[in-house]
Amino acid sequence: GAGSVLLYTPMIYRVASRKSGKGLSVSTWLLKMACYSSTDIYNFQHGYPISSYFETITLFVQALVMLALVCYFERLTWPALAASSGAAIIGLAVSSDETFVVTAAQVTASAAGSGAVVPQILENFRRRGSGEFSVVTATLLTLGNALRWWTTQELTHDPLLLAGFAIGFGANALLLSQILFYGTMREGKSLLQLYTSDFTSNDS
């Protein structure tokens, strides 16, 4: 849907315009790529309609762009090596018909999806601030996981997918709550300031 196409657009714009990835966890983006690619493998191998996982295809591409931007501006090379290794594993998984490989892909997706924002949550706790993760994106992620749970329930009824989206909803809701708490209570920002900060030159 349109929500998935625009999900990371605020963050991509923010990082590109400020020419900085400071305050963003690289681990979060690597885990997101692992989550989305594993979910796509699982759905593809099960022959599910592409409409049920088109969102995760677009999210994978956006996460890849975010990772590339952060690595470029922060002069990091090891994440690119990790992503390349992951691409090779994805290729092998897509070509495999083994049931355990396909199931492992979705277990990986669930684990990576639920843990992806943990590094960012820890970074925000360490800084005692709302951080650089977009509140717009955090909101869309929270709502998106709830929506994908519903569409999966309607289209496939797959218990592994349902569990993954439920866990993802909880993790992203925690990140969103953290950003809103630190932003309003500790930094004295209004909700309007928080939700427009991606498109301003600075957060003050």
Side-chain angles (χ1 to χ4, degrees), residues 129-142:
S130 58
E132 294 300 315
F133 200 96
S134 168
V135 68
V136 174
T137 297
T139 300
L140 291 174
L141 279 168
T142 303

Side-chain angles (χ1 to χ4, degrees), residues 10 21 26 55 57 64 66 70 122 126 146 157 198:
V26 170
E55 290 182 2
I57 295 175
L64 177 60
M66 273 298 302
V70 174
L122 294 176
R126 185 180 70 81
H157 308 287
D198 294 325

